[in-house]
C-alpha cells in the first residue's frame, strides 16, 4: 500500500515537472544517413535527402523533453565545425553506415576524435548502425569489433548504446523501432543526471564564448599591427622619395557602421527624394509655362537672324568658289537657348534595298507542262510497226533440227 502511494506521488511529481530542454548533436561521416534519421523522427519522408552543407537545426517534442538536434554535415572539409557545438550538447548521436565496409577505419578514427574531446567525454552516446536493409551490412557485433567501441567508451567514460536500424523504412509513428528505442535510452540517461550535465553545459558554453571573445580581440590586434606596419613602411618610402602622403585612411572609430536600422536608411532616401523634387519643380514650371508675346517675337527674330552653317549653293556661291574668292557674306554665330530643341544628326546610313535573289538551278521554271495522255491510248506512234514473227526454215539436206522460238 505504501509502495503504491509512493509510486503515485513520484508519477504526479514527474507529471508536474516542466519540460526539460535537451540539445543533441548528430554526427557521422557523409552519406551515413544522419538527415534521413532526423527527418524520420520528425515525421517527414526520409527518401531523396540532399547532402547537408554546414548544419541544420531541428526542434522536436519527445515526451517531457524539448529536444533540439543539430544535424552536422559529415564532409571532410566541414568536420572542423563540430567542436563549436560540443559545449552546448547534452548527448551525442553517432550514425554509422553499416554497408560501407571500405570506410569503417575512417569511421573509427572520427568516432575516437569525437569521444576524446574534453567537452564530449563523460556524456552519453548513442550509436546508430544505419542501413541494415542493404546487402552486405555489418552486424552489431562486427561494428563493435571494427570500431573498438568498448575501448573508446571505457577510456572516455561515456555511457554508450548501439542500435542496428534503417532510417528509410518509415517515418513518424512508423519509424524504425530501434531508432525510437535508442532515442528513449539517450533521453532517459540524460534525465538521470540532468542537473550535472546542464551545469557542465552552462560552464562549457561560458568558456567557449570567452575564448571566442579572446580570439576576436587577438585577431583585431593582429590586424591593427599589420596596418600600423604598412603605414610605417609607406611613410618611410614617402620620406625617402621626398613626397608627402596626402590621403590618410580613416580610423575604425570614424568609419560609419554599415549595419544600420532599415528605418534610418528609408528616412534618408525619402529626404533625398524630397530635396530632388523641390529642386526639380521650379525648372519644370519654367519649361512648362505658356509663352508670352515678347518670347514669341524674340524667337521669330532669332529664326530670321539664324543662318545654316552650310548654306545652299547658289550661282553666286558657285562662281566665287570657282574663282577662289572668299565669300564676303559674314555668318552670324548661332545662339541656342534652353527652349530650342536640337534634333540629333542622322548618322546612320539608309540601308539600300536588298537585290533580288539570283536565279539558279533551284529556281522553278514557270512554264506550262505539256498535256499528258492516259495510258492505254488507242493511237500509236508513227514509228511503231509490227514485226513479223521469226521462223527457222529448214534447209534441204541439212543436219540441223528444227528450233522453235
Amino acid at each position: 500500500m505504501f509502495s503504491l502511494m509512493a509510486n503515485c506521488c513520484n508519477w504526479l511529481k514527474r507529471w508536474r515537472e516542466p519540460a526539460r530542454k535537451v540539445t543533441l548533436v548528430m554526427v557521422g561521416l557523409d552519406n551515413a544517413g544522419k538527415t534521413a534519421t532526423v527527418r524520420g523522427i520528425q515525421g517527414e519522408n526520409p527518401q531523396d535527402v540532399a547532402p547537408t552543407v554546414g548544419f541544420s537545426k531541428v526542434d522536436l517534442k519527445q515526451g517531457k523533453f524539448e529536444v533540439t538536434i543539430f544535424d552536422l554535415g559529415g564532409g571532410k572539409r566541414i568536420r572542423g565545425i563540430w567542436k563549436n557545438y560540443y559545449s552546448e550538447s547534452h548527448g551525442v548521436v553517432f550514425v554509422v553506415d553499416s554497408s560501407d565496409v571500405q570506410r569503417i577505419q575512417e569511421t573509427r578514427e572520427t568516432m575516437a576524435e569525437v569521444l576524446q574531446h574534453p567537452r564530449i567525454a563523460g556524456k552519453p552516446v548513442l550509436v546508430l548502425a544505419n542501413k541494415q536493409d542493404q546487402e552486405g551490412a555489418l552486424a552489431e557485433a562486427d561494428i563493435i569489433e571494427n570500431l573498438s567501441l568498448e575501448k573508446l567508451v571505457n577510456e572516455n567514460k561515456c555511457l554508450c548504446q548501439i542500435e542496428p536500424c534503417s532510417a528509410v523504412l518509415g517515418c513518424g509513428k512508423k519509424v524504425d523501432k530501434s531508432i525510437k528505442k535508442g532515442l528513449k535510452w539517450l533521453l532517459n540517461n540524460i534525465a538521470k543526471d540532468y542537473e550535472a550535465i546542464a551545469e557542465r553545459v552552462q560552464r562549457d558554453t561560458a568558456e567557449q564564448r570567452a575564448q571566442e571573445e579572446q580570439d576576436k580581440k587577438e585577431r583585431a590586434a593582429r590586424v591593427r599591427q599589420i596596418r600600423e606596419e604598412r603605414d610605417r613602411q609607406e611613410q618611410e618610402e614617402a620620406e625617402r622619395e621626398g613626397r608627402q602622403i596626402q590621403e590618410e585612411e580613416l580610423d575604425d572609430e570614424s568609419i560609419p557602421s554599415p549595419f544600420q536600422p532599415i528605418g534610418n536608411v528609408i528616412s534618408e532616401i525619402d529626404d533625398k527624394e524630397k530635396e530632388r523634387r523641390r529642386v526639380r519643380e521650379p525648372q519644370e514650371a519654367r519649361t512648362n509655362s505658356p509663352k508670352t508675346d515678347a518670347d514669341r517675337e524674340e524667337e521669330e527674330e532669332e529664326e530670321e537672324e539664324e543662318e545654316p552653317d552650310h548654306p545652299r549653293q547658289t550661282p553666286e556661291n558657285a562662281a566665287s568658289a570657282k574663282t577662289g574668292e572668299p565669300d564676303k557674306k559674314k555668318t552670324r554665330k548661332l545662339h541656342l537657348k534652353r527652349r530650342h530643341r536640337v534634333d540629333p544628326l542622322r548618322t546612320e546610313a539608309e540601308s539600300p534595298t536588298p537585290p533580288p535573289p539570283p536565279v539558279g538551278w533551284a529556281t522553278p521554271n514557270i512554264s506550262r507542262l505539256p498535256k499528258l495522255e492516259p495510258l492505254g491510248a488507242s493511237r500509236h506512234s508513227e514509228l511503231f510497226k509490227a514485226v513479223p514473227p521469226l521462223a527457222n526454215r529448214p534447209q534441204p539436206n541439212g543436219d540441223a533440227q528444227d528450233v522453235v522460238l
Side-chain angles (χ1 to χ4, degrees):
M1 186 67 181
F2 291 102
S3 62
L4 180 60
M5 292 179 63
N7 292 333
C8 292
C9 292
N10 292 334
W11 176 83
L12 184 62
K13 184 179 179 181
R14 287 195 302 268
W15 181 74
R16 289 183 177 180
E17 286 180 355
R20 293 178 174 179
K21 295 182 179 180
V22 176
T23 302
L24 304 177
V25 289
M26 183 170 289
V27 293
L29 301 186
D30 52 313
N31 198 30
K34 300 182 295 297
T35 306
T37 304
V38 173
R39 294 184 65 176
I41 297 172
Q42 195 176 6
E44 299 179 359
N45 187 10
Q47 301 287 345
D48 301 331
V49 177
T52 303
V53 180
F55 76 97
S56 62
K57 180 181 177 182
V58 179
D59 296 326
L60 304 172
K61 185 69 181 297
Q62 295 289 328
K64 282 292 183 177
F65 296 95
E66 294 180 359
V67 184
T68 300
I69 301 178
F70 286 104
D71 177 19
L72 307 180
K76 289 185 178 180
R77 296 183 178 179
I78 58 178
R79 290 177 196 169
I81 69 171
W82 290 2
K83 60 184 179 181
N84 298 330
Y85 299 89
Y86 292 162
S87 60
E88 52 186 320
S89 64
H90 295 77
V92 181
V93 180
F94 198 98
V95 183
V96 180
D97 187 357
S98 304
S99 62
D100 195 355
V101 183
Q102 298 178 355
R103 302 178 67 187
I104 198 68
Q105 182 65 24
E106 184 180 358
T107 304
R108 180 185 180 280
E109 295 175 357
T110 306
M111 179 178 287
E113 185 178 355
V114 172
L115 297 183
Q116 290 172 2
H117 197 277
R119 292 176 180 168
I120 290 294
K123 296 180 180 179
V125 178
L126 171 64
V127 180
L128 295 178
N130 194 22
K131 300 187 181 181
Q132 290 290 325
D133 57 322
Q134 296 188 7
E135 186 178 358
L138 296 176
E140 179 180 351
D142 297 334
I143 292 176
I144 294 174
E145 181 181 357
N146 291 323
L147 297 180
S148 301
L149 194 56
E150 293 182 0
K151 181 181 178 181
L152 291 175
V153 169
N154 295 329
E155 288 178 354
N156 300 286
K157 300 179 181 180
C158 296
L159 293 175
C160 183
Q161 176 78 7
I162 183 170
E163 292 289 343
C165 63
S166 180
V168 297
L169 293 182
C171 59
K173 295 182 179 180
K174 297 182 179 180
V175 73
D176 194 350
K177 295 181 180 180
S178 298
I179 298 177
K180 286 184 178 181
K181 181 181 177 181
L183 188 60
K184 184 178 179 180
W185 173 89
L186 182 60
L187 294 176
N188 289 336
N189 280 274
I190 293 174
K192 289 179 181 179
D193 200 10
Y194 182 78
E195 286 76 11
I197 296 177
E199 183 180 356
R200 179 182 174 184
V201 167
Q202 187 176 2
R203 185 176 62 254
D204 292 346
T205 304
E207 291 178 359
Q208 182 175 352
R209 289 178 181 175
Q211 185 66 31
E212 290 176 356
E213 291 293 334
Q214 183 67 22
D215 295 343
K216 185 177 179 181
K217 291 180 181 179
E218 293 178 357
R219 186 165 53 251
R222 287 196 300 269
V223 171
R224 192 181 303 108
Q225 184 179 1
I226 293 172
R227 186 180 299 174
E228 291 176 358
E229 183 69 19
R230 183 187 59 189
D231 295 343
R232 187 179 59 80
Q233 292 178 1
E234 291 180 357
Q235 185 70 22
E236 291 178 357
E237 291 178 0
E239 292 177 358
R240 193 164 45 251
E241 296 177 0
R243 57 184 177 85
Q244 186 177 2
I245 300 177
Q246 298 179 357
E247 298 181 358
E248 295 181 357
E249 296 182 358
L250 297 176
D251 297 336
D252 295 341
E253 298 178 357
S254 60
I255 297 176
S257 176
F259 303 101
Q260 299 180 2
I262 189 65
N264 298 345
V265 179
I266 294 174
S267 61
E268 291 179 3
I269 294 175
D270 293 341
D271 295 341
K272 291 180 181 179
E273 187 65 24
K274 290 179 182 179
E275 183 68 20
R276 199 178 295 111
R277 289 179 183 175
R278 188 177 60 80
V279 175
R280 195 188 304 129
E281 284 177 359
Q283 297 179 358
E284 293 179 355
R286 287 197 300 268
T287 55
N288 298 333
S289 60
K291 296 180 180 179
T292 59
D293 297 338
D295 294 339
R296 293 194 185 93
E297 292 177 0
E298 185 179 355
E299 289 181 1
E300 291 177 359
E301 292 176 359
E302 289 177 356
E303 289 177 359
E304 291 177 359
E305 292 177 357
E306 289 175 356
E307 293 182 1
D309 296 339
H310 303 283
R312 184 181 298 176
Q313 190 174 7
T314 58
E316 293 81 1
N317 297 339
S320 62
K322 289 180 181 180
T323 56
E325 297 178 357
D327 191 4
K328 297 180 180 180
K329 190 174 181 180
K330 296 182 179 180
T331 58
R332 185 172 296 176
K333 188 176 180 180
L334 180 62
H335 297 279
L336 298 179
K337 292 188 176 182
R338 292 182 179 180
R339 293 190 299 271
H340 292 173
R341 180 181 177 183
V342 181
D343 295 330
L345 297 177
R346 188 180 182 85
T347 57
E348 297 180 358
E350 296 181 357
S351 60
T353 56
V359 180
W361 63 271
T363 306
N365 187 11
I366 305 175
S367 61
R368 194 165 188 177
L369 298 175
K371 185 177 180 181
L372 301 177
E373 295 181 358
L375 296 175
S378 58
R379 188 177 63 180
H380 299 282
S381 177
E382 295 179 357
L383 299 177
F384 177 79
K385 292 183 180 181
V387 180
L390 182 61
N392 188 8
R393 298 179 181 178
Q395 296 182 3
N397 300 328
D399 296 336
Q401 299 180 1
D402 296 338
V403 178
V404 180
L405 298 176

